[in-house]
Amino acid sequence: MVHTGICEAIRAKKIISFVYNGKIRTVEPHLYGYDADGDLSLYAWQLQTGSGEGWRQFHASNISGMSITERNFLQPRIDWKPYKIGVSRVLCSL
């Protein structure tokens, strides 16, 4: 189940990789939950893959081939502000 792996990666601060919209994404997962529209989403800092580095929201229904890497990140990104993203229900978060 995708969300079990995502929550495991968030708890362990592990970088994950997956395919999203036909591109391989490598991210530091920060929060997994339902957005204001009720879509299950991952909020993460995308590393130098896909559409470039930065904050991204990924709809879970479009995530495939997810794997947890052996690489860790140490802490939430300094500009991580979960209260600003409009999540209606959090499943797991840093």
Side-chain angles (χ1 to χ4, degrees), residues 27-88:
V27 305
E28 296 174 356
H30 280 57
L31 186 145
Y32 193 57
Y34 292 89
D35 67 16
D37 295 327
D39 294 315
L40 186 55
S41 295
L42 168 65
Y43 297 85
W45 179 265
Q46 182 170 276
L47 301 170
Q48 294 291 328
T49 58
S51 56
E53 189 174 276
W55 288 110
R56 302 285 186 273
Q57 175 183 356
F58 302 98
H59 288 145
S61 60
N62 296 326
I63 293 173
S64 64
M66 192 204 78
S67 63
I68 300 172
T69 72
E70 293 299 316
R71 296 171 35 211
N72 286 80
F73 58 102
L74 298 177
Q75 60 191 19
R77 290 279 168 163
I78 201 147
D79 61 345
W80 172 235
K81 296 178 176 53
Y83 57 88
K84 288 190 171 188
I85 58 176
V87 175
S88 64

